[in-house]
Amino acid sequence: MGSLRTVSFGDMFTPKLVTVLREGYDRAAFRADLVSGLTVAIVALPLSMAIAIASGVSPDRGLVTAIVGGFFVSLLGGSRFQIGGPAGAFILLVSATAAAQGVEGLILATFLSGLILAAIGILRLGTFVKYIPYPVTVGFTAGIAVIIASTQLREFFGLTLPGAEPGPLIDKLAALAAAAETLDAPTVAVALLTLAVILAVRRYRPHWPVLLIAVAAGSLAAVAGGLDIATIGSRFGGIPSSLPAPHLPDLSPARIFAALPAAVSFALLGSIESLLSAVVADSMSGRRHRSNCELVAQGVANVAASLFGGICVTGTIARTATNVRSGARSPISGMLHSGFLLLFVLVAAPLASYIPLAALAAVLLFVAWNMAEKAEFAGLLRASRGDALVVSATFLLVVFRDLTEGILVGFALGALLFLHRMANAVTVESRAAAIAEADRADSDRGAEPYPERLVEDHDIFVCRISGAFFFGAAASVGTVLDRIAERPKVTILDFSDVPFIDSSAGATIAGFVKKAERRGASVLFAGAGEATRRILALQDHAGGESRFCASVDEAVRKARSRLGERPDLREALPAA
């Protein structure tokens, strides 16, 4: 049997592209990546522009983000299949930042978030992102879906507002309802046509490029019918047919200080979104990604995208899943996806002017519906009160308050729920009956019968502590131990089933030892591991190595020996 090799620092940060090339990359793999890259580019083309417009910036910035950012995500990333680009999850944050600080402030926040992401990866903190509870991710995703859908209602119905569209959901819906009389029938017709094409193609030809076909159909209908509706050309003047020249954002201290809060939010959300996307790719492909390497790549991608005027880059779940399903073999498919998008900008940019904004709104409404994880959300509501609380709190805070606040509060509630469950899982029991289960009021404890002994000698009591013994369980276990301390002459605590003990639990054991020894009784420890011994020794109440025994049998023999050497114990202490 081979020995396990410790992963070195270099291995941890080696891009998957290097790993693939070391393994061998042939012509067949390149053909598979070529087809997959083209497929993903076709999906990313309308999405990148739609997300940019929904974020309050011009559509070309979404394309630049997918081209530049997506290329570096694949070139340097820790996943074989990750596709980077603008993501719907960032719409609210990006639009709020652009409204508050302008496009230059948004680009600076993107630049700083890249540095933060790279630092998180280099410090190997990406490992901790996996500890975000599942109800938090489901609640967050559902909340993002609601936000995306709400931002597209104006364009979908062609509504005209007297001022800027409000950001908060309730105010937004109220303003849109007040403008209902401005509904534009041709705009709605194009939006409904686009949505109908999406649903029809998805049902009857699911392997076709659904979104591109639908947007093309909506555009052709608008042009053929001579409809006077908002398009990319009428709103933004089209998109440039080349990439802009790279330049550094304004790095003055005042601008950095102003952009830093948004940059931290971008980095937090980007790390979560990208690693969730990488996990999805792993589950679909059977591979494993390198989380910290992936975060470094995301950081570089955000810095690079900001230099070209792009917005936030992250791993995108829908496009990454499309990449895997299309038969991608390596990160080269993601690099080719960026190349195909660049080719579109260079060759076919003028065609983008004819794309109706209503068609892109229909695309994003479809995306929002699919990403909501409705079945998972309903399942968590039924699973338990704790999971229902976490998923509901996360969802409501994301929708009505703030994305980052929703994640942090959801994580805190999830952590408390975990601690509560772990604390209840800790038991102190005999072989015959458990004597420490759920915590109850002190007034209820007097009626509890004294449990059966583990050994025939009624002067010796053996009890086993099971589970991770930490501060959450210390109080309830301490109450049980206090009752035990009043009865036997020698107590043996079996730690064989304790994988972990912290200082609070050690202090609880130390208090029990003190109370027993004040009566002249003895306490022995059986089966304690090295970590447990160390914690007990740090409390300075362990009584030296003489208190520790390798097993319960050894402890029982030692206890009987002590009682034989000190008959006064048998005579002085009443029988239990």
Side-chain angles (χ1 to χ4, degrees):
M1 181 176 178
S3 59
L4 294 176
R5 184 174 66 90
T6 302
V7 178
S8 68
F9 185 88
D11 291 338
M12 190 181 300
F13 290 97
T14 299
K16 283 291 185 176
L17 177 61
V18 175
T19 302
V20 168
L21 295 178
R22 286 175 177 171
E23 293 173 350
Y25 187 76
D26 56 19
R27 187 174 299 175
F30 178 77
R31 284 197 298 268
D33 284 337
L34 187 69
V35 173
S36 180
L38 178 60
T39 303
V40 176
I42 291 172
V43 173
L45 178 61
L47 272 182
S48 299
M49 292 188 289
I51 290 171
I53 293 170
S55 301
V57 296
S58 57
D60 58 297
R61 296 189 185 275
L63 290 173
V64 167
T65 303
I67 293 169
V68 178
F71 181 82
F72 281 100
V73 165
S74 297
L75 177 68
L76 303 175
S79 170
R80 291 174 185 256
F81 308 107
Q82 185 84 280
I83 300 296
F90 282 87
I91 287 176
L92 184 61
L93 280 176
V94 171
S95 60
T97 304
Q101 302 183 38
V103 174
E104 287 303 316
L106 169 62
I107 293 173
L108 175 58
T110 302
F111 180 87
L112 296 175
S113 71
L115 299 179
I116 295 171
L117 277 168
I120 292 174
I122 292 171
L123 295 174
R124 290 180 279 186
L125 300 179
T127 308
F128 296 100
V129 176
K130 71 176 75 171
Y131 298 131
I132 294 178
Y134 178 66
V136 176
T137 63
V138 172
F140 167 77
T141 305
I144 289 296
V146 171
I147 291 172
I148 292 175
S150 70
T151 62
Q152 299 309 300
L153 296 178
R154 179 182 181 181
E155 300 295 352
F156 190 93
F157 293 104
L159 301 177
T160 302
L161 300 180
E165 183 175 336
L169 180 64
I170 300 299
D171 297 339
K172 183 193 299 289
L173 295 179
L176 294 175
E181 60 184 16
T182 66
L183 182 144
D184 185 64
T187 298
V188 176
V190 170
L192 290 176
L193 172 64
T194 305
L195 201 54
V197 171
I198 290 175
L199 297 177
V201 175
R202 187 167 181 259
R203 178 174 181 180
Y204 297 108
R205 292 293 186 270
H207 298 296
W208 288 11
V210 178
L211 300 183
L212 187 63
I213 292 173
V215 170
S219 303
L220 288 173
V223 172
L227 302 180
D228 183 19
I229 62 176
T231 64
I232 288 179
S234 65
R235 180 75 60 84
F236 302 100
I239 62 174
S241 57
S242 63
L243 291 180
H247 69 281
L248 279 171
D250 183 1
L251 297 177
S252 64
R255 294 302 298 268
I256 290 176
F257 183 78
L260 195 56
V264 173
S265 297
F266 290 166
L268 175 63
L269 182 56
S271 62
I272 295 170
E273 186 80 2
S274 61
L275 294 186
L276 283 177
S277 179
V279 168
V280 169
D282 288 351
S283 65
M284 295 178 66
S285 64
R287 299 285 187 172
R288 293 186 62 186
H289 73 281
R290 298 172 182 139
S291 57
N292 294 299
C293 179
E294 183 64 28
L295 290 183
V296 172
Q298 298 287 338
V300 174
N302 275 276
V303 170
S306 67
L307 296 179
F308 287 87
I311 57 177
C312 297
V313 182
T314 188
T316 55
I317 295 176
R319 277 158 274 177
T320 299
T322 300
N323 191 38
V324 177
R325 285 195 296 264
S326 299
R329 301 280 189 87
S330 75
I332 292 176
S333 63
M335 298 163 66
L336 290 170
H337 131 273
S338 297
F340 284 121
L341 288 176
L342 177 59
L343 184 64
F344 169 80
V345 170
L346 297 177
V347 176
L351 295 177
S353 299
Y354 299 100
I355 297 176
L357 299 183
L360 295 180
V363 166
L364 284 182
L365 283 175
F366 173 74
V367 170
W369 176 259
N370 281 337
M371 72 181 292
E373 297 187 357
K374 301 168 286 295
E376 292 82 355
F377 194 99
L380 286 170
L381 290 178
R382 296 191 300 267
S384 68
R385 285 181 295 179
D387 288 337
L389 173 63
V390 174
V391 72
S392 300
T394 304
F395 172 77
L396 293 174
L397 286 171
V398 166
V399 171
F400 296 105
R401 290 281 299 175
D402 179 75
L403 297 178
T404 306
E405 185 176 327
I407 293 173
L408 293 177
V409 172
F411 180 81
L413 289 175
L416 290 175
L417 177 64
F418 171 77
L419 292 175
H420 175 70
R421 288 170 173 170
M422 288 295 293
N424 286 342
V426 177
T427 60
V428 183
E429 59 184 2
S430 71
R431 289 175 186 165
I435 61 175
E437 297 176 350
D439 195 14
R440 288 180 287 173
D442 292 341
S443 58
D444 295 335
R445 297 192 181 278
E448 186 175 352
Y450 186 66
E452 298 179 24
R453 277 92 178 140
L454 294 178
V455 292
E456 294 180 359
D457 193 327
H458 66 272
D459 292 325
I460 303 173
F461 189 81
V462 182
C463 62
R464 181 176 66 241
I465 302 175
S466 302
F469 190 10
F470 68 112
F471 62 88
S476 59
V477 173
T479 300
V480 175
L481 292 180
D482 285 345
R483 294 202 310 276
I484 294 173
E486 299 294 339
R487 306 190 181 202
K489 301 174 180 66
V490 179
T491 301
I492 299 171
L493 299 181
D494 181 8
F495 288 98
S496 301
D497 292 333
V498 178
F500 168 78
I501 184 172
D502 69 358
S503 56
S504 298
T508 298
I509 297 299
F512 168 68
V513 170
K514 281 184 178 179
K515 186 171 183 178
E517 290 183 340
R518 280 198 296 267
R519 299 175 50 251
S522 298
V523 179
L524 297 175
F525 303 141
E530 201 61 40
T532 301
R533 291 190 180 206
R534 184 168 58 252
I535 291 294
L536 293 173
L538 287 175
Q539 298 295 331
D540 199 29
H541 297 294
E545 290 297 319
S546 62
R547 195 186 299 282
F548 291 99
C549 302
S551 65
V552 172
D553 290 340
E554 179 184 331
V556 170
R557 288 195 297 270
K558 183 178 289 188
R560 286 173 172 163
S561 174
R562 289 189 178 185
L563 288 174
E565 294 171 358
R566 296 186 59 190
D568 57 305
L569 280 177
R570 294 187 181 275
E571 298 170 359
L573 298 178

